[in-house]
Amino acid sequence: MAGQAQSRAELQQQQAAPPWGELLSFQYFQRLCPPGAGYGYGYSGGSMQGMRESEFRRLGGMTYLDHAGTALFPQSLLKEFTDDLSKNIYGNPHSQNISSKLTYDTIEHVRYRILQHFNTTAEDYTIIFTSGSTAALKLVAETFPWMPEGLGHPSSRFCYLTDSHTSVVGMRGITAAMNVLSVPVKPKEILLSEKNRVPAEEQNCMTPHLFCYPAQSNFSGIKYPLSWIQEIKSGKLCPIKTPGKWFVLLDAASYVSTSPLDLTVHQPDFIPISFYKIFGFPTGLGALLVNNQIAPFLRKSYFGGGTAAGYLAGEEFYSPRPSVAERFEDGTVSFLDIIALKHGFDALERLTGGMENIKHHTFALSHYTYTVLSTLKYASGAPIVRIYSDSDFSSPDVQGPIINFNVLDENGDVIGYSQVDKIASLYNIHVRTGCFCNTGACQRHLSLSNEDVKRNLQAGHVCGDDIDIIDGRPTGSVRISFGYMSTFEDAQTFLKFIIATRLSESDCKFPSQTTTRETITQNDHTANNNAKKYSLKTIISDTGHWNNSSAALKKPEPSRAVVSDSAIPVYRSGSKPITVTNIYLYPIKSCSAFEVSEWPVGNQGLLYDRSWMVVNQNGICISQKQEPRLCLVHPIIDLEQKIMVIKAEGMDPLSVPLEENTGREIQIGQSKVCAHRVQTYDCGERIAEWFSELLGRQCRLIRQSSDFKGNANQKHEKGQATTVSLSLVNEAQYLLINTASILQLKEQITERLKEPLPTEELIQRFRANVVISATESFEEEKWAEISIGALCFQVVGPCNRCQIICIDPQTGQRNKEFLQTLSSIRGRKTNFGIYLMNQSLCSSLPNILSVGSQVFPVLKEDKEIQSPLSNEEKTSG
């Protein structure tokens, strides 16, 4: 099938491609729509945008293309559900009072509504509510009437298509414990499975076997034939050659989000689904649809509340309820979430007219996007993307609204998915990357052998991380997917993004080109553009306050191990010495820098560096990614007065004491910063009101508590782990950048921007603690450790940059060019600067970092510094 898809794509590309402007026009989209693939649900006058405005206004300028991950709920669903809850009292359905009877009756009504949605009745299928499709799959694995090996009769087999979700493959863990053999089956093997038909004399064997396959691949969107259901159950197709009776589990979680499933025509034995895939809300609720013919044979050992007709506590006696649903729904079901489903069905029907319309609407968008993507080429004729597909997107009956691909450079090499995701975020485009919990499909399409996957794991790559290229080969890909609320403008914006980032400007002429510079704030924020430099002078002698005022200056951790004996000192005979040119600390995480000429150093880094952070009403850290205006908040540390003064244009200055509040009235809580657990306390209502007024949202200022150290494990060269103490930083105690590297980047960015760029502004964008004046750009990446004066530091890895460097620290404006240029000059990487950790500190004397101090680096034998251990995307927030 893949070869057929490729040949058709090539035929399309041999035809004269229209100019980019025409390719991206709505008229071209309409011409491409296949017969019957209607767009827009019959809304007149372009009212798809009207529906988006009324129901999904919260999207704003976002282009959301991860509908296979979750649908987005319409505003009317939420309103109708909350109105329902505000007008009715829903009690526990296991009670007998009036409010409980209302709940029970409503739940039963929703069961019938689900059956109606799939065009079936309670005579044929039973709805068992679960926490999601994963729980439904687990329930099948636990209750299916398996016949294990070694009992003198043919044993059961658990077979699954290799193009299956992790949750399907994971069923084999349960079957293995039951001594049942699991057999993976490749998609092409099913097409040849007629050869597996058992002899006539063995066809009366009733040993139960289970075959699982997805109605739609969540990796590529291919729709596997629903005709397989009856063919396998009847014995016409046999996944493997073994006597027995086959039952079929159809994993419909991905399929039913955009396609109708008619259970009158196709009757699998089990259908697991998750409702958030269809409606977006509620989450944490799914169902298992069980064919009533198999239901009596399911075996269940545990019984929970509501499942028993009667039992004895002092004797082995238990009688289950007669209803299949009640027998398998342990405990009280999530009844309010179930009630929300009614409003989900109502909203879906009202907005779209039904699943058949959604199927054609979403296919029109994916067909168009696939066609244009397949057309895109570099000037050399090399393709811009490699699409992983088993169809040519010619019919919605064989292809869902999912496109899986990798972006290629001019030489045909894959650009890592994390890099594509990072650049897409600059355009406010939300995609999915990785292997999408489908290792089987990922292996097949990316040509990864079992040994490749194991080697990648040994190299540090795990599911869900950003290690996207190993030994020059991709570990995953990029996936976009459309949902019922997707519009032509979503597809157009995505295609513009691909063209704008991969082709030269002369090739990019769009119908309505959007600017790459986005204003975040309406006001001209210019106050305190230059960070104040602070000299310690006589304050250095005040070591009493210094040693007791912060967790940063508690007793130092044990010295970090020295790097390998092969580390090579850098001799710079005749060269200009490397010196420290700037020192910055960031008292409040993600806020403006405070520049100093010299500053105390403790076992967590610079004193008071990232000791505070701004959080939302749920206690989650707010960074410049969510709130760019944080860069306009200027904290100033006054060690003499023992206060931090916070300034922002249009706001009265705010004073915060440096001494920790140890009173009983403070609120202690725990937060996470880049997967590190930290203990914090709230700085009070007065400060919370100041930040809430400034940012126009509820938020608070919290401070790290000295009673709790944020620790992280770092590995030095010999592979041994050392625990280090961190403040509220993301990854390490210090971040260092090199002015020579800055100047090389500045040259490239200035050329692209066609306007001057102050060096100081570029330095501030990278939010470093230490800026040095080396002569060679990026030579810092070859270092294993450095000494500055009496201080010694271990290099723990490069800093992998994110979109925060695109925010102008003086205005809060975004400009995509900075991250894109960095990616371009670094060979598709976005590393800039290196992380440092203390090696050892003298606890008896003040440790001071000063501007003008000479820097003495030590080279690593292996010039490639590995990224830090954490898989989270790092920034110097």
Side-chain angles (χ1 to χ4, degrees):
M1 295 176 72
Q4 180 186 14
Q6 182 65 31
S7 63
R8 292 192 183 185
E10 288 172 352
L11 288 174
Q12 284 182 334
Q13 293 163 3
Q14 288 172 2
Q15 302 171 359
W20 298 131
E22 184 181 352
L23 276 176
L24 300 179
S25 68
F26 186 68
Q27 291 73 23
Y28 186 73
F29 165 73
Q30 288 179 309
R31 290 204 304 272
L32 275 184
C33 278
Y39 170 78
Y41 311 116
Y43 288 118
S44 59
S47 289
M48 270 301 296
Q49 285 300 105
M51 188 253 276
R52 281 280 287 263
E53 178 65 21
S54 62
E55 296 284 3
F56 303 96
R57 181 177 297 182
R58 63 188 184 278
L59 282 171
M62 179 191 303
T63 301
Y64 181 81
L65 294 174
D66 188 24
H67 294 274
T70 181
L72 300 178
F73 63 82
Q75 197 65 29
S76 60
L77 187 163
L78 207 58
K79 182 180 184 303
E80 290 168 4
F81 175 52
T82 54
D83 285 349
D84 187 345
L85 296 187
S86 67
K87 295 174 183 177
N88 294 288
I89 302 298
Y90 292 105
N92 189 310
H94 292 162
S95 299
Q96 298 300 315
N97 57 60
I98 295 175
S99 60
S100 297
K101 184 67 165 59
L102 175 62
T103 304
Y104 178 85
D105 290 343
T106 307
I107 290 173
E108 294 309 299
H109 171 77
V110 172
R111 291 190 206 271
Y112 290 123
R113 187 70 180 270
I114 296 169
L115 293 169
Q116 180 186 15
H117 182 77
F118 294 114
N119 195 29
T120 188
T121 66
E123 282 68 43
D124 292 323
Y125 281 91
T126 294
I127 304 292
I128 301 172
F129 286 113
T130 66
S131 63
S133 58
T134 295
L137 290 163
K138 185 170 179 282
L139 181 62
V140 173
E142 291 171 338
T143 62
F144 188 81
W146 306 106
M147 296 185 70
E149 298 270 358
L151 297 182
H153 50 69
S155 58
S156 295
R157 294 291 184 266
F158 167 54
C159 294
Y160 57 89
L161 206 66
T162 52
D163 186 355
S164 286
H165 193 277
T166 302
S167 298
V168 171
V169 181
M171 294 170 68
R172 72 187 185 196
I174 295 175
T175 60
M178 296 180 177
N179 204 20
V180 171
L181 185 65
S182 298
V183 183
V185 180
K186 296 178 181 178
K188 64 180 180 181
E189 294 173 348
I190 288 290
L191 302 177
L192 304 174
S193 65
E194 288 190 17
K195 298 178 181 179
N196 294 329
R197 298 176 73 173
V198 298
E201 63 271 15
E202 297 182 2
Q203 291 181 2
N204 293 327
C205 178
M206 298 304 291
T207 297
H209 309 296
L210 181 64
F211 177 67
C212 304
Y213 79 99
Q216 174 178 292
S217 169
N218 73 316
F219 184 94
S220 67
I222 185 69
K223 292 180 177 179
Y224 290 104
L226 297 179
S227 59
W228 285 0
I229 298 168
Q230 186 56 36
E231 289 174 345
I232 290 174
K233 292 176 68 173
S234 66
K236 182 179 180 182
L237 292 180
C238 296
I240 59 174
K241 189 173 182 179
T242 185
K245 179 176 177 58
W246 283 97
F247 296 88
V248 176
L249 183 152
L250 183 73
D251 179 7
S254 177
Y255 182 90
V256 299
S257 62
T258 55
S259 298
L261 177 61
D262 190 337
L263 294 182
T264 300
V265 178
H266 306 288
Q267 296 187 327
D269 299 288
F270 307 99
I271 309 105
I273 59 174
S274 285
F275 291 107
Y276 74 92
K277 299 275 188 181
I278 306 173
F279 308 122
F281 178 87
T283 58
L285 180 66
L288 178 65
L289 281 70
V290 180
N291 192 311
N292 288 337
Q293 292 182 358
I294 180 67
F297 300 101
L298 299 181
R299 300 184 296 214
K300 186 170 181 283
S301 53
Y302 175 81
F303 59 94
T307 65
Y311 75 96
L312 292 174
E315 182 181 317
E316 286 292 329
F317 172 77
Y318 161 73
S319 178
R321 286 183 176 271
S323 163
V324 174
E326 291 178 328
R327 192 160 72 244
F328 284 90
E329 290 172 350
D330 291 307
T332 302
V333 294
S334 186
F335 56 89
L336 294 183
D337 287 336
I338 293 172
I339 291 168
L341 296 181
K342 172 192 178 299
H343 303 288
F345 284 115
D346 289 345
L348 204 67
E349 185 68 30
R350 182 178 66 253
L351 295 174
T352 69
M355 297 304 299
E356 189 70 25
N357 293 337
I358 293 174
K359 167 183 167 182
H360 291 292
H361 171 84
T362 54
F363 180 72
L365 293 170
S366 59
H367 170 79
Y368 162 71
T369 307
Y370 169 83
T371 303
V372 176
L373 273 181
S374 302
T375 305
L376 300 181
K377 291 182 179 294
Y378 291 103
S380 64
I384 290 178
V385 298
R386 178 180 298 148
I387 298 175
Y388 305 112
S389 174
D390 293 307
S391 83
D392 58 0
F393 281 72
S394 60
S395 169
D397 294 326
V398 298
Q399 178 64 47
I402 294 174
I403 304 174
N404 198 307
F405 64 96
N406 267 318
V407 179
L408 308 176
D409 64 15
E410 295 89 336
N411 300 317
D413 295 325
V414 170
I415 298 174
Y417 60 74
S418 65
Q419 184 64 20
V420 176
D421 188 22
K422 200 174 294 185
I423 300 299
S425 69
L426 298 180
Y427 290 76
N428 210 1
I429 298 173
H430 295 225
V431 299
R432 178 80 176 265
T433 60
C435 270
F436 323 103
C437 295
N438 191 334
T439 299
C442 191
Q443 282 187 258
R444 181 164 67 90
H445 286 284
L446 273 61
S447 299
L448 296 171
S449 68
N450 292 348
E451 290 306 312
D452 290 332
V453 174
K454 293 175 184 178
R455 278 195 296 268
N456 290 347
L457 183 63
Q458 291 173 349
H461 170 58
V462 298
C463 293
D465 68 12
D466 59 0
I467 302 177
D468 47 20
I469 302 287
I470 295 179
D471 295 332
R473 299 176 63 190
T475 62
S477 55
V478 182
R479 184 186 75 185
I480 63 171
S481 49
F482 297 96
Y484 77 84
M485 72 294 294
S486 298
T487 64
F488 164 73
E489 288 74 18
D490 292 331
Q492 183 190 55
T493 299
F494 168 75
L495 292 168
K496 284 183 180 181
F497 153 68
I498 294 292
I499 294 172
T501 54
R502 300 314 307 160
L503 298 176
S504 64
E505 292 184 6
S506 60
D507 294 326
C508 303
K509 296 178 180 178
F510 303 138
S512 55
Q513 180 66 37
T514 56
T515 181
T516 60
R517 193 170 181 91
E518 177 184 333
T519 302
I520 301 301
T521 177
Q522 298 287 336
N523 300 321
D524 180 22
H525 295 279
T526 56
N528 293 323
N529 283 345
N530 296 318
K532 176 183 176 183
K533 292 191 176 183
Y534 199 98
S535 177
L536 295 179
K537 296 184 178 179
T538 59
I539 303 174
I540 293 300
S541 61
D542 186 13
T543 56
H545 159 69
W546 176 15
N547 288 330
N548 295 301
S549 62
S550 169
L553 294 181
K554 297 180 85 173
K555 185 178 179 181
E557 296 289 320
S559 173
R560 292 179 57 81
V562 179
V563 294
S564 68
D565 296 335
S566 60
I568 308 166
V570 178
Y571 296 99
R572 308 183 64 85
S573 177
S575 299
K576 182 180 177 181
I578 304 174
T579 59
V580 176
T581 61
N582 305 82
I583 300 172
Y584 299 98
L585 60 147
Y586 305 83
I588 306 176
K589 185 177 176 66
S590 247
C591 290
S592 179
F594 175 51
E595 186 174 9
V596 296
S597 59
E598 53 185 358
W599 201 252
V601 170
N603 74 316
Q604 286 188 320
L606 294 170
L607 180 62
Y608 298 121
D609 183 45
R610 296 175 175 90
S611 291
W612 293 263
M613 68 180 177
V614 181
V615 298
N616 65 14
Q617 69 272 25
N618 297 320
I620 307 302
C621 177
I622 301 174
S623 76
Q624 287 185 30
K625 291 180 184 179
Q626 300 88 28
E627 193 55 79
R629 287 175 294 176
L630 283 173
C631 72
L632 306 176
V633 176
H634 300 271
I636 301 168
I637 300 289
D638 188 330
L639 292 180
E640 285 183 321
Q641 299 294 323
K642 300 181 181 180
I643 60 171
M644 174 174 65
V645 178
I646 308 174
K647 296 183 178 181
E649 184 174 315
M651 302 291 292
D652 293 333
L654 187 66
S655 177
V656 179
L658 296 183
E659 292 183 346
E660 288 196 42
N661 185 349
T662 58
R664 294 183 178 179
E665 72 279 4
I666 65 171
Q667 298 179 13
I668 299 291
Q670 289 199 356
S671 304
K672 275 198 172 183
V673 178
C674 243
H676 304 313
R677 186 167 58 95
V678 294
Q679 185 160 297
T680 59
Y681 67 84
D682 191 278
C683 293
E685 291 298 328
R686 177 179 64 92
I687 299 171
E689 290 172 1
W690 191 93
F691 275 96
S692 298
E693 180 181 350
L694 173 69
L695 301 178
R697 59 190 295 183
Q698 288 187 9
C699 52
R700 309 188 70 83
L701 185 70
I702 62 175
R703 181 180 182 177
Q704 185 178 20
S705 171
S706 61
D707 295 332
F708 183 91
K709 298 177 183 177
N711 295 324
N713 288 326
Q714 297 290 339
K715 285 186 178 178
H716 54 70
E717 185 145 309
K718 294 184 179 179
Q720 299 168 325
T722 303
T723 300
V724 294
S725 183
L726 299 177
S727 60
L728 299 178
V729 295
N730 287 351
E731 181 60 31
Q733 294 165 342
Y734 310 87
L735 176 59
L736 177 148
I737 63 173
N738 177 4
T739 52
S741 308
I742 285 284
L743 292 174
Q744 180 181 339
L745 181 62
K746 175 184 174 181
E747 181 180 349
Q748 298 287 333
I749 293 178
T750 302
E751 182 179 342
R752 294 195 181 198
L753 291 178
K754 309 298 183 187
E755 61 184 48
L757 175 64
T759 303
E760 179 68 19
E761 178 195 323
L762 191 54
I763 288 174
Q764 290 180 10
R765 284 177 182 265
F766 286 94
R767 301 180 64 78
N769 295 112
V770 181
V771 185
I772 61 166
S773 62
T775 55
E776 181 184 335
S777 61
F778 301 108
E779 68 171 283
E780 64 275 13
E781 296 184 352
K782 304 172 184 177
W783 301 344
E785 61 184 57
I786 65 171
S787 297
I788 304 177
L791 301 171
C792 297
F793 304 95
Q794 176 90 32
V795 177
V796 294
C799 179
N800 188 7
R801 297 297 181 161
C802 69
Q803 61 265 38
I804 285 182
I805 68 170
C806 297
I807 299 172
D808 187 332
Q810 312 301 332
T811 64
Q813 292 180 331
R814 288 186 197 267
N815 190 320
K816 307 177 184 73
E817 199 59 59
F818 289 84
L819 190 60
Q820 292 181 180
T821 303
L822 177 61
S823 174
S824 175
I825 71 170
R826 298 311 315 274
R828 302 197 304 271
K829 293 182 179 180
T830 54
N831 295 345
F832 196 93
I834 55 175
Y835 286 119
L836 306 177
M837 290 287 195
N838 291 325
Q839 269 199 357
S840 60
L841 292 175
C842 177
S843 58
S844 60
L845 294 173
N847 295 286
I848 305 298
L849 189 63
S850 303
V851 169
S853 297
Q854 192 165 348
V855 179
F856 298 95
V858 175
L859 283 178
K860 242 179 130 177
E861 184 179 33
D862 178 6
K863 302 293 174 41
E864 180 69 20
I865 300 175
Q866 299 301 314
S867 294
L869 298 178
S870 173
N871 293 321
E872 301 241 3
E873 178 186 303
K874 300 302 182 296
T875 177
S876 54

